[in-house]
Structure formats: structure tokens, C-alpha cells
Amino acid sequence: MPTFSAPDGTRLAYHLRGDGDPLVVLPGGPMRPCAYLGDLGGLAAHRRLVLLDLRGTGDSATPADPATYRCDRLVGDVEALRAHLGLERMDLLGHSAGGSLAMLYAARHPDRVARLALITATPWALGMPATTEDRLAAARLREGEPWFAEAYPAFASWLLEGGDFDPRFIPFFYGRWDEAAAAHARRDEEEGNEEAAHRYGSEGAYDPPATRAALATLPAPVLVYCGDLDGGPRPDLARRTAEAFPNAEVAVQPGAGHYPWVDDPEWFVGRTADFFAGKGKGE
């Protein structure tokens, strides 16, 4: 397992899967170990995935200062990984909360990004969170599912009133609820760093006006990717995210939720591999 040193000396780990040109992958959660990403549905057949375990997660060390879990503070770790890999410019993929980290990295180091893919990424870094109504509207698309009647009230209560996460509404995060999705969901019970997740988007993490100004001139092509059943982001929010970039395209995967490589690996791999190969298609 390869490691490198972050700017503050924290030892960070990354995992390599597949062959070909490197593609640096930032996990979501926030602050989940990269293991849940697997090989991104087979994308490792097209690119060599460099999957980073963010500090305090997976095989990476815990930092001396917990304040360094904040999203903007993690940009230095991503830059240290690029330098460690010896890449002048890198292709970058961020999933979910990792999309905000990828955006902050691109804003600070625009000349280091060759291509950028934001996979089901709610654009917190742009000041555009998914709203409660976004999430509930997406959830209501699942009304015909056998688990809906029990799951929806619990989901609505969680969003509207707060409280603990309830496993009954996990199916809303997947486009199809089957054994493969359930097995993937079970990983979440064993992974994550709650303190780091709490600090990731804490006060000061994001400066949307500055980030928007920087990304407005980003030369790299950008793919904003969402599932048509996902509540964060919904397709409309993904399209508005794309407007923040001068050279962006949107992909909406049919029948997909928050983990599109689980829902339909072939569709996901085909679309993302084409983007990184320079074969953009738009919607």
C-alpha cells in the first residue's frame, strides 16, 4: 500500500486499481475511506485508479490537529498527492462530498487539472446545497417501490426534524434496491470518521463567491454527473452546477441514485470513460 506525506507531516495512503493513465479519485461521505468506491463499476479497466484515503480514514494516519479535516484544508493533501505521483496535470474525479474538495482543488490549482468529473456531487463549495424539498421530491419518484410506504415517513422525519440516520430509508440512495445495493450499503455501517465528517464542511470551509470566480475561468473540461433518481443533486441542480464552469457537460444516468456505478456499471463506465478519453457527449 503506497503512502506519502501531507504538508503537515501526516502520513496518507492511497490505493491503486487497474492499469493505464492515472485517474485520481476523491471519496465522499464526507470522510469515508475509499474502499466503498471499489473499482467504480469497472472503470479500472480503462484507467489506473488512484483512490485516496483522506486523513483520518482508511489506511491514512490521524492528524495531530483535527481542524485539518476541514474541506479547504484538505486541498493541500490532494496537491501533495499530485506532486508525489509526479504528474504535471492530473485527471480528477470527486464523488459526493468529494466533489466539493475537487472543486476547491480546481479553484486553487487550475493549471494542475486536466479533466474533472463531479459524480453525484452536491455543490456545497458553490453555495448550492440540495434542499429538503429536492430530496423529498426525488424520494417520491420511488412511490411504486415495495419498501416506500415504510421508508418515506422515516426519511421525511429525518430531513424535516433531524435525528439519527434510519437504515429504513437507505434504499432512496440507490436507483434499484437489490442484494448488490444492500451489500454496498452495509459498508457504511463499518466505515467513516464521525469527527472528521462533522468538521469537513464546518464554518470557513467554503467561500462560494471566491470559488465561483476562480472556476469561471477553469480551462479544464468538466463532467457534472447525476442520477435521475438522486435527491442530492437532482438533475436541475447538476445543470446549475455546470453553469459555474466555462467548459462543462452534464450526464444524467437513467434509473440511478447516489451510487451510479452500483446501479448500472456499464452505463456509468461507458459515460465516464468516454469523458476522460475526450469523447464528450453532453446530455
Side-chain angles (χ1 to χ4, degrees), residues 3 6 8 21 24 26 35 62 64 94 100-101 108 121 123 129 175 186 189 196 218 224 239 250 258-259 263:
T3 64
D8 66 352
D21 294 333
V24 174
L26 306 179
T62 300
S100 281
L101 175 55
R108 196 180 302 177
R186 282 193 291 272
E189 300 173 9
L218 180 72
V224 182
R239 295 182 187 104
V250 176
H258 201 59
Y259 304 96
D263 294 321

Side-chain angles (χ1 to χ4, degrees), residues 62-264:
T62 300
D65 181 4
T68 61
Y69 288 133
R70 208 173 70 179
C71 186
D72 60 319
R73 303 281 296 273
L74 297 174
V75 171
D77 294 353
V78 180
E79 173 62 2
L81 174 58
R82 180 204 61 79
H84 168 77
L85 295 171
L87 300 173
E88 183 67 22
R89 296 195 306 156
M90 63 181 175
D91 287 340
L92 186 62
L93 182 153
H95 172 245
S96 191
S100 281
L101 175 55
M103 283 186 264
L104 293 186
Y105 179 84
R108 196 180 302 177
H109 300 284
D111 56 331
R112 298 302 191 183
V113 179
R115 286 180 171 269
L116 170 63
L118 304 173
I119 307 299
T120 61
T122 297
W124 292 98
L126 300 177
M128 299 192 304
T131 66
T132 294
E133 184 48 43
D134 283 338
R135 296 186 181 278
L136 291 178
R140 288 192 292 270
L141 297 174
R142 316 298 296 280
E143 194 168 4
E145 302 282 355
W147 43 264
F148 178 87
E150 181 180 10
Y152 184 80
F155 191 48
S157 176
W158 178 65
L159 290 171
L160 294 167
E161 302 169 16
D164 295 333
F165 190 91
D166 190 325
R168 288 180 295 173
F169 54 70
I170 289 176
F172 286 122
F173 292 88
Y174 293 85
R176 53 181 175 78
W177 186 242
D178 57 13
E179 181 48 42
H184 185 266
R186 282 193 291 272
R187 299 192 66 102
D188 194 31
E189 300 173 9
E190 307 164 4
E191 300 173 344
N193 179 328
E194 289 190 15
E195 179 185 12
H198 178 72
R199 290 180 179 268
Y200 186 85
S202 59
E203 185 176 358
Y206 306 125
D207 183 348
T211 300
R212 284 177 171 276
L215 295 179
T217 59
L218 180 72
V222 177
L223 174 65
V224 182
Y225 195 109
C226 68
D228 69 353
L229 298 177
D230 192 13
R234 299 194 73 195
D236 178 64
L237 182 54
R239 295 182 187 104
R240 288 190 284 125
T241 300
E243 293 172 359
F245 302 92
N247 185 16
E249 59 189 84
V250 176
V252 181
Q253 181 173 321
H258 201 59
Y259 304 96
W261 66 91
V262 176
D263 294 321
D264 188 340

